[in-house]
Amino acid sequence: MTKKTRRAIFILVFSEFLVCLGISLVIPVMPFLKNQLHLTATDMGIMSALFAFAQFVASPLIGRLSDKIGRKPVLTAGLFLFMVSEVLFALTNQLMVFNISRVIGGLSAAMVVPTAMALAADITTKRQRARVIGWLSAAFSGGLILGPGIGGILAGISYKTPFWAAGALGLISAIVLISLLPSDAETSKIRDAEATSSTAAKPSAHPMTKEFWTVPIIILFTMILVSSFGLQGFESIYSIYVNEVFHFSLSNIALVLTLNGLISLFLQVAMFDTLVSKWGERRVIRVCFFLAAICVVWITQAHGKIAVMIATLIVFSAFDLLRPAITTLLTKASESNQGLINGLNMSLTSVGNIVGPIMSGMLLDMNPHYPYLVVSVFLIVSYLMAFLLKRPDQLQSATEK
């Protein structure tokens, strides 16, 4: 990996960490904001849905745009929009403006996260890619893990302070990116330099043709949807479920989530590249789906808190490895459509983020165990589908025909 490549990767990791930190800074404030401004739970739900919906609609379009006009302009615009979204939220107390802010925030997320992944894929070889995507995933997770604690401290000053802090982080990220990230012309040179040290990428099939939409590609995108649906279906009701069924206290839940955050960072930074190098993405995906399915069922049959905690940590760890493994395999499938592929990736994740919590909430009202049993069925089906996946070289050859 060249010096310019390392610098570009560091800037992407830094920017993604700051943006995710900014997003999660506001989490502790939302319930207080709801009570302070006399908003309903429906109002808060609509805010979240608008963010996810904007992200869902915009991600593939922006991904395709970044393939055409370059990554740096899209990343820069996304970071500035993130700043605008947070500052707008800090300035207003009007529900309509809050909703507009969330739409802008969804657009900014659609610009930043998949484009950063696409640029990382552009400037790395296939051998390096698993490690770099692991770093980006760790930056994403790290920001989301650290944000709520810092946000809670800042909220002690004012409940609007976390939003101002998030806006400042967006501005800092944009300035760093503009100043230090190589231009798209330089990025092309980096890509060419990296390509000469491995195998030059061949032109891929156009994404609107049937040659691009091979069975393995469709399976991978389906797995993206299922993994995000499964994670949100599992996570969104977790605290309610373990409190009602196993009588977890707030300290029990906090312990599980803290341990998960630490394990997640370790797996994505230190272990992901090693696992992919040793097993390959396909085996990592199969093992993770299998472990997640077994442990979700285990939770529904457990009789003690320790067993539930262990099973929970295994489930979260499996999901923490699943996402970057599927993403890495996808980026190797079509070298010249990275923006579109990562945009579709983010779009399908947004669908899972919308549908998963709604489904789990409805099923939870019927029976506490129903959500996890349904999630386990989807995970088992995905585990079986994973055996249909081809090796990365076979995936790409299919899209190059």
Side-chain angles (χ1 to χ4, degrees), residues 69-273:
I69 69 170
R71 314 296 186 205
K72 188 171 182 177
V74 174
L75 281 168
T76 304
L79 292 172
F80 275 115
L81 279 181
F82 173 78
M83 177 193 68
V84 170
S85 170
E86 298 302 324
V87 169
L88 195 59
F89 211 100
L91 287 173
T92 189
N93 287 325
Q94 301 297 316
L95 180 60
M96 180 62 72
V97 183
F98 284 146
N99 288 337
I100 293 171
S101 168
R102 293 300 85 192
V103 170
I104 296 172
L107 290 174
S108 71
M111 288 181 166
V112 172
V113 179
T115 309
M117 288 287 188
L119 181 54
D122 285 343
I123 61 177
T124 55
T125 64
K126 291 184 180 182
R127 186 179 181 84
Q128 300 162 348
R129 200 164 299 163
R131 185 192 326 152
V132 172
I133 288 179
W135 291 344
L136 285 169
S137 297
F140 189 93
S141 300
L144 295 180
I145 290 164
L146 295 175
I150 298 173
I153 295 171
L154 292 174
I157 303 171
S158 162
Y159 73 90
K160 289 296 186 80
T161 303
F163 298 97
W164 288 112
L169 289 176
L171 179 60
I172 292 169
S173 299
I175 292 172
V176 169
L177 190 139
I178 291 171
S179 304
L180 300 179
L181 189 70
S183 66
D184 289 307
E186 291 177 301
T187 299
S188 296
K189 293 179 181 178
I190 293 173
R191 182 170 59 244
D192 292 341
E194 295 291 352
T196 56
S197 65
S198 58
T199 303
K202 299 176 183 178
S204 298
H206 191 277
M208 293 300 110
T209 63
K210 64 181 182 180
E211 287 79 9
F212 177 83
W213 291 102
T214 59
V215 171
I217 289 288
I218 293 171
I219 290 172
L220 285 169
F221 279 126
T222 302
M223 286 179 174
I224 287 288
L225 178 60
V226 171
S227 61
S228 60
F229 167 83
L231 177 59
Q232 288 302 313
F234 178 83
E235 187 177 20
S236 62
I237 62 161
Y238 179 76
S239 59
I240 300 172
Y241 175 80
V242 294
N243 177 257
E244 289 183 0
V245 178
F246 299 102
H247 310 293
F248 271 40
S249 64
L250 283 174
S251 59
N252 294 147
I253 296 170
L255 175 63
V256 172
L257 296 180
T258 302
L259 287 173
N260 168 63
L262 295 173
I263 293 171
S264 170
L265 289 175
F266 172 74
L267 287 175
Q268 291 173 342
V269 173
M271 292 299 297
F272 179 66
D273 183 49

Side-chain angles (χ1 to χ4, degrees), residues 213-377:
W213 291 102
T214 59
V215 171
I217 289 288
I218 293 171
I219 290 172
L220 285 169
F221 279 126
T222 302
M223 286 179 174
I224 287 288
L225 178 60
V226 171
S227 61
S228 60
F229 167 83
L231 177 59
Q232 288 302 313
F234 178 83
E235 187 177 20
S236 62
I237 62 161
Y238 179 76
S239 59
I240 300 172
Y241 175 80
V242 294
N243 177 257
E244 289 183 0
V245 178
F246 299 102
H247 310 293
F248 271 40
S249 64
L250 283 174
S251 59
N252 294 147
I253 296 170
L255 175 63
V256 172
L257 296 180
T258 302
L259 287 173
N260 168 63
L262 295 173
I263 293 171
S264 170
L265 289 175
F266 172 74
L267 287 175
Q268 291 173 342
V269 173
M271 292 299 297
F272 179 66
D273 183 49
T274 301
L275 289 172
V276 168
S277 299
K278 185 176 181 180
W279 288 354
E281 293 91 350
R282 295 182 303 159
R283 184 178 293 181
V284 170
I285 290 169
R286 289 199 295 265
V287 170
C288 288
F289 271 125
F290 179 77
L291 288 176
I294 294 300
C295 290
V296 168
V297 175
W298 179 14
I299 290 172
T300 66
Q301 305 302 312
H303 298 290
K305 290 184 178 180
I306 298 298
V308 173
M309 287 182 177
I310 293 171
T312 299
L313 292 174
I314 294 174
V315 172
F316 278 130
S317 298
F319 280 119
D320 288 336
L321 292 173
L322 259 177
R323 290 283 306 168
I326 298 171
T327 299
T328 303
L329 200 52
L330 267 172
T331 62
K332 293 178 179 179
S334 181
E335 292 291 330
S336 63
N337 294 305
Q338 295 298 324
L340 176 69
I341 282 178
N342 283 281
L344 287 170
N345 184 337
M346 180 59 66
S347 191
L348 290 171
T349 301
S350 300
V351 174
N353 291 347
I354 295 169
V355 176
I358 294 172
M359 181 215 69
S360 289
M362 293 173 63
L363 291 173
L364 185 68
D365 289 334
M366 301 178 193
N367 183 291
H369 297 305
Y370 283 178
Y372 286 178
L373 293 175
V374 170
V375 166
S376 66
V377 170

Side-chain angles (χ1 to χ4, degrees), residues 22-52:
I23 290 171
S24 61
L25 278 177
V26 305
I27 291 174
V29 185
M30 299 308 282
F32 181 81
L33 187 69
K34 172 182 175 292
N35 297 330
Q36 181 81 6
L37 301 179
H38 308 292
L39 301 174
T40 66
T42 302
D43 293 332
M44 305 305 289
I46 289 173
M47 278 188 215
S48 298
L50 285 172
F51 184 99

